Amino acid sequence: MKYYLCIALFFLFNFCFSEDYIIEFQAKVKNLKEYNISKIKKFRNYDLEGTFTDSYGNIGIFEAIINSDVEEGKLIRLVATSENIYSNNQKFYFRTVRENSDVDAGIAYATIIGATEKFMPLMGTRCTTSVRYLNDAVFGINKCKVSANSKKIL
């Protein structure tokens, strides 16, 4: 029982002493490819190219490759892999998943799955992503919980 209590306290303290890290991004949809599989099903593949700023004053460029399945006008599943390149040439890569939501807006969950050496301690960081589309423009925000050590890196 003590073992479980120690684990629970460890995660509670980690959560309590973490800070929000916010990344705001804007992008344009490029290379849209869409297949009308049936009258109600579609498959979409497209690229995003854009920029980002974060809550620590960093700036950079952002690219993503996205695959999505749409059925009866609703998003069934969207998977994206993105690359964030900071102005100091440091990088990290997100894998993002969004399911069962509107096509033009929604909440997704992202995880940092790769990084350059400086950003390696960020590996596994989970974020909540919110996006909205306006024609071929995408506006989004990532909200991540980071530790004090990760804050120093950023």
Side-chain angles (χ1 to χ4, degrees), residues 83-151:
E83 177 182 60
N84 286 35
I85 305 171
Y86 286 72
S87 60
N88 62 2
N89 288 321
Q90 294 297 315
K91 302 176 188 179
F92 66 72
Y93 300 87
F94 273 127
R95 175 73 40 85
T96 304
V97 176
R98 180 162 59 111
E99 296 179 316
N100 300 319
S101 67
D102 290 332
V103 172
D104 294 335
I107 302 295
Y109 300 97
T111 304
I112 296 177
I113 60 166
T116 53
E117 188 175 334
K118 180 180 176 184
F119 285 170
M120 286 302 279
L122 298 172
M123 291 284 293
T125 299
R126 293 190 50 116
C127 307
T128 302
T129 304
S130 173
V131 295
R132 292 182 53 177
Y133 291 81
L134 175 62
N135 300 326
D136 67 344
V138 178
F139 302 88
I141 188 167
N142 286 308
K143 184 177 180 181
C144 313
K145 291 283 187 192
V146 295
S147 67
N149 287 340
S150 295
K151 180 182 172 184

Side-chain angles (χ1 to χ4, degrees), residues 12-115:
L12 178 65
F13 284 122
N14 256 355
F15 183 77
C16 290
F17 293 107
S18 61
E19 296 185 32
D20 287 339
Y21 174 56
I22 308 293
I23 303 169
E24 294 184 44
F25 60 92
Q26 307 79 36
K28 286 283 195 177
V29 174
K30 303 285 183 184
N31 305 317
L32 174 64
K33 186 70 174 177
E34 185 173 88
Y35 297 118
N36 293 314
I37 296 170
S38 71
K39 290 182 180 181
I40 61 169
K41 291 184 181 181
K42 291 182 184 184
F43 170 81
R44 292 181 177 162
N45 178 277
Y46 53 97
D47 303 336
L48 297 180
E49 294 178 0
T51 61
F52 69 89
T53 59
D54 70 17
S55 53
Y56 299 131
N58 297 306
I59 60 172
I61 56 175
F62 152 80
E63 294 181 346
I65 299 171
I66 299 170
N67 292 302
S68 65
D69 293 303
V70 178
E71 191 172 320
E72 295 182 341
K74 290 283 190 187
L75 180 73
I76 302 303
R77 182 169 172 84
L78 177 146
V79 177
T81 302
S82 61
E83 177 182 60
N84 286 35
I85 305 171
Y86 286 72
S87 60
N88 62 2
N89 288 321
Q90 294 297 315
K91 302 176 188 179
F92 66 72
Y93 300 87
F94 273 127
R95 175 73 40 85
T96 304
V97 176
R98 180 162 59 111
E99 296 179 316
N100 300 319
S101 67
D102 290 332
V103 172
D104 294 335
I107 302 295
Y109 300 97
T111 304
I112 296 177
I113 60 166

